[in-house]
Amino acid sequence: MLTVTHDFVIGQLKALASQDPQVLESRRQQLIQQQQPLKLGSLAFLVIGAIMTISVIGAFVGLPMLAIAGWVQWKARANLKVIDGAYREFTSGGASLVVPG
């Protein structure tokens, strides 16, 4: 999952049909854990790309690798901000607890 939206996080929290803070925090932690492979994978590609750019020939592969890894790292951080913002909104009562359907 590369992009996490505000509506997705609110939907995940509403689907729990619970106002228990521990249950909501548990789901928030699950959503955060789903972002860990993005962060770790992009970090590995940043290191590999940096090493490859040492040589001129390796720079042809290393520089695009650095750019893509940087973008994925940025995306993972943005997703974490969305998760935290939506969680704060939901727990403060900004989002309705009524599950549509």
Side-chain angles (χ1 to χ4, degrees):
M1 163 184 324
L2 195 56
T3 300
V4 175
T5 64
H6 181 268
D7 292 335
F8 173 77
V9 176
I10 295 294
Q12 291 290 311
L13 296 172
K14 283 183 181 181
L16 294 172
S18 174
Q19 293 182 3
D20 183 13
Q22 290 178 340
V23 173
L24 295 173
E25 178 62 26
S26 174
R27 185 60 185 139
R28 177 181 163 269
Q29 289 301 322
Q30 288 174 352
L31 292 170
I32 289 173
Q33 287 298 321
Q34 291 174 353
Q35 300 303 309
Q36 292 304 320
L38 287 176
K39 289 179 69 177
L40 293 176
S42 65
L43 183 61
F45 277 104
L46 281 171
V47 171
I48 293 168
I51 291 170
M52 290 181 76
T53 57
I54 292 173
S55 70
V56 174
I57 296 171
F60 287 111
V61 176
L63 290 175
M65 189 180 286
L66 284 172
I68 292 170
W71 178 77
V72 171
Q73 186 75 243
W74 172 79
K75 196 69 168 160
R77 288 181 184 168
N79 286 345
L80 292 174
K81 288 180 184 178
V82 168
I83 291 168
D84 285 337
Y87 176 78
R88 278 194 307 272
E89 178 187 327
F90 188 80
T91 56
S92 69
S96 172
L97 294 177
V98 177
V99 178

